[in-house]
Coordinates of all heavy atoms in Angstrom, one line a residue:
M1 N 0.9 -1.2 0.0 CA 0.0 0.0 0.0 C 0.9 1.2 0.0 O 1.8 1.3 0.8 CB -0.9 0.0 1.2 CG -1.8 1.2 1.3 SD -2.8 1.4 2.8 CE -3.3 -0.2 3.2
D2 N 0.6 2.2 -0.9 CA 1.3 3.4 -0.9 C 0.7 4.4 0.0 O -0.5 4.5 0.2 CB 1.3 4.0 -2.3 CG 2.1 3.2 -3.3 OD1 3.1 2.5 -2.9 OD2 1.8 3.2 -4.5
V3 N 1.5 5.2 0.7 CA 1.1 6.2 1.6 C 1.6 7.6 1.2 O 2.8 7.7 1.0 CB 1.5 5.9 3.1 CG1 1.1 7.0 4.0 CG2 0.9 4.6 3.5
T4 N 0.8 8.6 1.2 CA 1.2 10.0 1.0 C 0.8 10.8 2.2 O -0.3 11.0 2.4 CB 0.6 10.5 -0.3 OG1 0.9 9.7 -1.4 CG2 1.1 11.9 -0.6
L5 N 1.8 11.3 2.9 CA 1.6 12.1 4.1 C 1.3 13.6 3.6 O 1.9 14.1 2.7 CB 2.7 12.1 5.0 CG 3.1 10.8 5.6 CD1 4.3 10.9 6.5 CD2 2.0 10.1 6.3
T6 N 0.3 14.2 4.2 CA -0.1 15.6 3.9 C -0.2 16.4 5.1 O -0.3 15.9 6.2 CB -1.4 15.6 3.2 OG1 -2.4 15.1 4.0 CG2 -1.4 14.8 1.9
E7 N -0.2 17.7 4.9 CA -0.4 18.7 6.0 C -1.9 19.2 5.9 O -2.3 19.5 4.8 CB 0.5 19.9 5.9 CG 2.0 19.5 6.2 CD 2.2 19.1 7.7 OE1 1.5 19.7 8.6 OE2 3.0 18.3 7.9
P8 N -2.6 19.2 7.0 CA -4.0 19.7 7.0 C -4.0 21.2 6.6 O -3.2 21.9 7.1 CB -4.5 19.4 8.4 CG -3.3 19.3 9.3 CD -2.2 18.8 8.4
E9 N -5.0 21.5 5.8 CA -5.2 22.9 5.4 C -6.5 23.5 5.7 O -6.8 24.7 5.7 CB -4.9 23.1 3.9 CG -3.5 22.7 3.5 CD -3.3 22.8 2.0 OE1 -4.2 23.2 1.3 OE2 -2.2 22.5 1.6
L10 N -7.5 22.6 5.9 CA -8.9 23.0 6.1 C -9.5 22.1 7.2 O -9.3 20.9 7.2 CB -9.7 22.9 4.8 CG -11.2 23.1 4.8 CD1 -11.4 24.6 5.1 CD2 -11.8 22.7 3.5
D11 N -10.3 22.7 8.0 CA -11.1 21.9 9.0 C -12.6 22.0 8.6 O -13.1 23.0 8.2 CB -11.0 22.6 10.4 CG -9.6 22.4 10.9 OD1 -9.1 21.3 10.9 OD2 -9.0 23.5 11.4
V12 N -13.2 20.8 8.6 CA -14.6 20.7 8.3 C -15.3 19.9 9.4 O -14.7 19.2 10.1 CB -14.8 20.0 6.9 CG1 -14.2 20.8 5.8 CG2 -14.3 18.6 6.9
E13 N -16.6 20.1 9.5 CA -17.5 19.4 10.4 C -18.2 18.3 9.6 O -18.8 18.6 8.6 CB -18.5 20.4 11.0 CG -19.3 19.8 12.1 CD -20.2 20.9 12.7 OE1 -19.8 22.0 12.8 OE2 -21.3 20.5 13.2
V14 N -18.1 17.1 10.2 CA -18.8 16.0 9.6 C -19.7 15.3 10.6 O -19.5 15.4 11.8 CB -17.8 14.9 9.0 CG1 -17.0 15.5 7.8 CG2 -16.9 14.4 10.0
G15 N -20.7 14.6 10.1 CA -21.5 13.8 11.0 C -21.3 12.3 10.6 O -21.3 11.9 9.5
V16 N -21.2 11.5 11.7 CA -20.9 10.1 11.5 C -21.9 9.3 12.3 O -22.0 9.5 13.5 CB -19.4 9.7 11.9 CG1 -19.1 8.3 11.6 CG2 -18.4 10.6 11.1
D17 N -22.5 8.3 11.7 CA -23.4 7.4 12.4 C -22.6 6.2 13.0 O -21.7 5.7 12.3 CB -24.5 6.9 11.4 CG -25.6 6.1 12.1 OD1 -25.4 5.6 13.2 OD2 -26.6 5.9 11.5
V18 N -22.9 5.8 14.2 CA -22.1 4.7 14.8 C -22.6 3.3 14.5 O -22.0 2.3 15.0 CB -22.0 4.9 16.3 CG1 -21.2 6.2 16.6 CG2 -23.3 4.9 17.0
A19 N -23.7 3.2 13.7 CA -24.3 1.9 13.4 C -23.3 1.1 12.6 O -22.6 1.6 11.7 CB -25.6 2.1 12.6
R20 N -23.1 -0.2 12.9 CA -22.2 -1.1 12.2 C -22.9 -2.3 11.7 O -23.9 -2.7 12.3 CB -21.1 -1.6 13.2 CG -20.3 -0.5 13.8 CD -19.2 0.0 12.9 NE -18.5 1.1 13.6 CZ -17.7 1.9 12.9 NH1 -17.5 1.7 11.6 NH2 -17.1 2.8 13.5
D21 N -22.4 -2.9 10.6 CA -23.0 -4.1 10.1 C -22.3 -5.3 10.8 O -21.4 -5.1 11.7 CB -22.9 -4.2 8.6 CG -21.5 -4.3 8.0 OD1 -20.5 -4.5 8.8 OD2 -21.3 -4.1 6.8
T22 N -22.6 -6.5 10.4 CA -22.1 -7.7 11.1 C -20.6 -7.8 10.9 O -19.9 -8.5 11.6 CB -22.8 -8.9 10.7 OG1 -22.7 -9.1 9.3 CG2 -24.3 -8.9 11.1
G23 N -20.1 -7.2 9.8 CA -18.6 -7.2 9.6 C -17.8 -6.1 10.2 O -16.6 -6.0 10.1
G24 N -18.5 -5.2 11.0 CA -17.9 -4.2 11.7 C -17.7 -2.9 10.9 O -17.2 -1.9 11.4
R25 N -18.2 -2.9 9.7 CA -18.1 -1.7 8.8 C -19.3 -0.7 9.1 O -20.4 -1.1 9.5 CB -18.2 -2.1 7.3 CG -17.0 -2.9 6.9 CD -17.2 -3.3 5.5 NE -18.4 -4.0 5.4 CZ -18.6 -5.3 4.9 NH1 -17.6 -5.9 4.4 NH2 -19.8 -5.8 4.8
G26 N -19.0 0.6 8.9 CA -20.1 1.6 9.1 C -21.2 1.3 8.1 O -21.0 1.0 7.0
R27 N -22.5 1.4 8.6 CA -23.7 1.2 7.8 C -24.0 2.4 7.0 O -24.8 2.3 6.0 CB -24.8 0.8 8.7 CG -24.6 -0.6 9.3 CD -25.8 -1.0 10.2 NE -27.0 -1.0 9.4 CZ -28.2 -1.1 9.9 NH1 -28.3 -1.1 11.3 NH2 -29.3 -1.1 9.2
H28 N -23.6 3.6 7.4 CA -24.0 4.8 6.7 C -22.8 5.7 6.4 O -21.8 5.7 7.2 CB -25.0 5.6 7.6 CG -26.2 4.8 8.0 ND1 -27.2 4.5 7.2 CD2 -26.4 4.3 9.2 CE1 -28.1 3.8 7.9 NE2 -27.6 3.6 9.1
P29 N -22.8 6.4 5.3 CA -21.6 7.2 5.0 C -21.5 8.4 5.9 O -22.5 8.9 6.5 CB -21.9 7.7 3.6 CG -23.4 7.7 3.4 CD -23.8 6.5 4.3
A30 N -20.3 9.0 6.1 CA -20.1 10.2 6.8 C -20.7 11.3 6.0 O -20.7 11.3 4.8 CB -18.6 10.5 7.0
R31 N -21.3 12.3 6.7 CA -21.9 13.4 6.0 C -21.2 14.7 6.2 O -20.9 15.1 7.4 CB -23.4 13.6 6.4 CG -24.2 12.4 5.9 CD -25.7 12.7 6.3 NE -26.5 11.6 5.7 CZ -26.9 10.6 6.5 NH1 -26.5 10.4 7.7 NH2 -27.6 9.6 5.9
W32 N -20.8 15.5 5.2 CA -20.2 16.7 5.3 C -21.2 17.8 5.7 O -22.3 17.8 5.1 CB -19.6 17.1 3.9 CG -18.8 18.4 3.9 CD1 -17.5 18.5 4.2 CD2 -19.3 19.7 3.6 NE1 -17.1 19.8 4.1 CE2 -18.2 20.5 3.7 CE3 -20.5 20.2 3.2 CZ2 -18.3 21.9 3.5 CZ3 -20.6 21.5 3.0 CH2 -19.5 22.4 3.1
H33 N -20.9 18.6 6.7 CA -21.8 19.6 7.2 C -21.4 21.0 6.7 O -22.1 21.7 6.1 CB -22.0 19.6 8.7 CG -22.7 18.4 9.2 ND1 -24.1 18.3 9.1 CD2 -22.3 17.3 9.8 CE1 -24.5 17.2 9.6 NE2 -23.4 16.5 10.0
R34 N -20.1 21.4 7.1 CA -19.7 22.8 6.8 C -18.2 22.9 7.0 O -17.6 22.2 7.8 CB -20.4 23.8 7.7 CG -20.1 23.6 9.2 CD -21.0 24.6 10.0 NE -20.7 24.3 11.4 CZ -20.4 25.2 12.3 NH1 -20.2 26.4 12.0 NH2 -20.2 24.8 13.6
P35 N -17.6 23.9 6.4 CA -16.2 24.2 6.7 C -16.1 25.0 8.1 O -17.1 25.7 8.4 CB -15.7 25.1 5.6 CG -17.0 25.8 5.0 CD -18.1 24.7 5.3
R36 N -15.1 24.7 8.8 CA -14.9 25.4 10.1 C -13.9 26.5 9.9 O -12.7 26.3 10.2 CB -14.5 24.4 11.2 CG -15.6 23.4 11.5 CD -16.8 24.1 12.2 NE -16.5 24.9 13.3 CZ -16.6 24.5 14.6 NH1 -17.1 23.3 14.8 NH2 -16.3 25.4 15.5
T37 N -14.3 27.7 9.4 CA -13.4 28.8 9.2 C -12.9 29.4 10.5 O -12.0 30.2 10.5 CB -14.0 29.8 8.3 OG1 -15.2 30.3 8.9 CG2 -14.2 29.2 6.9
D38 N -13.6 29.1 11.6 CA -13.3 29.7 12.9 C -12.1 28.9 13.6 O -11.6 29.3 14.6 CB -14.5 29.7 13.9 CG -15.1 28.3 14.1 OD1 -15.1 27.5 13.1 OD2 -15.6 28.0 15.2
L39 N -11.7 27.8 13.0 CA -10.6 26.9 13.5 C -9.5 26.8 12.5 O -9.7 26.9 11.3 CB -11.2 25.5 13.8 CG -12.3 25.4 14.8 CD1 -12.8 24.0 14.9 CD2 -11.8 25.8 16.2
T40 N -8.3 26.5 13.1 CA -7.2 26.2 12.3 C -6.8 24.7 12.5 O -7.2 24.2 13.6 CB -5.9 27.1 12.6 OG1 -5.5 26.8 13.9 CG2 -6.3 28.6 12.5
P41 N -6.0 24.1 11.7 CA -5.6 22.7 11.9 C -4.9 22.5 13.2 O -5.1 21.4 13.8 CB -4.7 22.4 10.7 CG -5.2 23.2 9.6 CD -5.6 24.5 10.3
T42 N -4.2 23.5 13.8 CA -3.6 23.3 15.1 C -4.5 23.3 16.2 O -4.2 23.0 17.3 CB -2.5 24.3 15.2 OG1 -3.0 25.6 15.1 CG2 -1.4 24.2 14.2
D43 N -5.8 23.8 16.0 CA -6.8 23.9 17.1 C -7.4 22.5 17.3 O -8.0 22.3 18.4 CB -7.9 24.8 16.7 CG -7.4 26.3 16.7 OD1 -6.5 26.6 17.4 OD2 -8.0 27.0 15.9
I44 N -7.3 21.6 16.4 CA -7.9 20.3 16.5 C -7.0 19.3 17.1 O -5.9 19.0 16.6 CB -8.4 19.8 15.1 CG1 -9.2 20.8 14.4 CG2 -9.1 18.5 15.2 CD1 -10.5 21.2 15.0
P45 N -7.4 18.6 18.2 CA -6.6 17.5 18.8 C -6.5 16.3 17.9 O -7.5 15.9 17.3 CB -7.2 17.2 20.1 CG -8.6 17.6 20.0 CD -8.6 18.8 19.0
H46 N -5.4 15.8 17.6 CA -5.2 14.7 16.8 C -5.0 13.4 17.6 O -4.0 13.2 18.3 CB -4.0 14.8 15.8 CG -4.2 16.0 14.9 ND1 -4.7 15.9 13.7 CD2 -4.0 17.3 15.1 CE1 -4.8 17.0 13.1 NE2 -4.3 17.9 13.9
T47 N -6.1 12.6 17.7 CA -6.0 11.4 18.5 C -6.4 10.2 17.6 O -7.1 10.3 16.6 CB -7.0 11.5 19.7 OG1 -8.3 11.7 19.1 CG2 -6.6 12.6 20.6
A48 N -6.0 9.0 18.0 CA -6.3 7.8 17.2 C -7.8 7.5 17.5 O -8.3 7.7 18.6 CB -5.4 6.7 17.6
A49 N -8.4 6.9 16.6 CA -9.8 6.4 16.7 C -9.8 5.2 17.7 O -8.9 4.4 17.6 CB -10.4 6.1 15.4
P50 N -10.8 5.1 18.6 CA -10.8 4.0 19.4 C -11.1 2.7 18.7 O -11.8 2.7 17.6 CB -12.0 4.3 20.4 CG -12.8 5.3 19.6 CD -11.9 6.0 18.7
A51 N -10.6 1.6 19.2 CA -10.8 0.3 18.5 C -12.2 -0.1 18.7 O -12.8 0.2 19.7 CB -9.8 -0.7 19.1
P52 N -12.8 -0.8 17.7 CA -14.2 -1.3 17.9 C -14.3 -2.3 19.1 O -13.3 -3.0 19.4 CB -14.5 -2.1 16.6 CG -13.3 -1.8 15.7 CD -12.2 -1.2 16.5
A53 N -15.4 -2.2 19.8 CA -15.6 -3.1 21.0 C -15.7 -4.5 20.5 O -16.3 -4.8 19.5 CB -16.8 -2.6 21.7
E54 N -15.2 -5.4 21.3 CA -15.3 -6.8 21.0 C -16.7 -7.3 21.5 O -17.1 -6.9 22.6 CB -14.2 -7.6 21.8 CG -12.8 -7.3 21.4 CD -12.5 -7.9 20.0 OE1 -13.1 -9.0 19.7 OE2 -11.8 -7.3 19.2
E55 N -17.3 -8.1 20.7 CA -18.6 -8.6 21.1 C -18.4 -9.9 21.8 O -17.6 -10.8 21.4 CB -19.4 -8.9 19.8 CG -19.8 -7.6 19.1 CD -20.8 -7.9 17.9 OE1 -21.4 -9.0 17.9 OE2 -20.8 -7.1 17.0
S56 N -19.1 -10.1 23.0 CA -19.0 -11.3 23.7 C -20.1 -12.3 23.2 O -21.2 -11.9 22.9 CB -19.1 -11.1 25.2 OG -20.4 -10.5 25.5
V57 N -19.7 -13.6 23.2 CA -20.7 -14.6 22.8 C -20.8 -15.6 23.9 O -19.8 -16.2 24.4 CB -20.2 -15.3 21.5 CG1 -21.1 -16.4 21.1 CG2 -20.0 -14.3 20.4
D58 N -22.1 -15.8 24.4 CA -22.3 -16.8 25.4 C -22.4 -18.1 24.8 O -23.2 -18.3 23.9 CB -23.6 -16.5 26.2 CG -23.4 -15.2 27.0 OD1 -22.3 -14.9 27.4 OD2 -24.4 -14.5 27.2
R59 N -21.7 -19.1 25.3 CA -21.8 -20.5 24.8 C -22.2 -21.5 25.9 O -21.9 -21.4 26.9 CB -20.5 -20.9 24.2 CG -20.2 -20.0 23.0 CD -18.9 -20.4 22.4 NE -18.5 -19.4 21.4 CZ -18.2 -19.7 20.2 NH1 -18.1 -20.9 19.7 NH2 -17.9 -18.7 19.3

C-alpha cells in the first residue's frame, strides 16, 4: 500500500453514524456539514480512533 503524508489545510465538520454491520463496517456514509473557518488545523486535537468493541458470545 502506498502512503502519501499531507499537512492539513482545512477543517470541516462531519456527521458520522455509529451503526455497524455484522462485519464491523459503518452502515451509513459520513456526511459533510460545513467548513470550520473559525478553527485552524492546530486547534484540533489529533487522536487515534478507538478500537471497535469486542462482542461477547455466550456459549
Side-chain angles (χ1 to χ4, degrees):
M1 179 184 327
D2 293 329
V3 175
T4 303
L5 300 177
T6 62
E7 290 293 325
E9 297 178 2
L10 174 68
D11 293 309
V12 297
E13 185 174 328
V14 296
V16 181
D17 189 339
V18 296
R20 303 277 179 196
D21 65 13
T22 56
R25 295 176 304 234
R27 292 180 58 193
H28 307 287
R31 292 187 176 94
W32 183 87
H33 288 283
R34 65 185 173 126
R36 292 297 305 261
T37 56
D38 58 323
L39 299 172
T40 66
T42 57
D43 294 331
I44 308 299
H46 297 267
T47 58
E54 293 290 326
E55 293 185 23
S56 63
V57 177
D58 294 330
R59 295 178 189 231

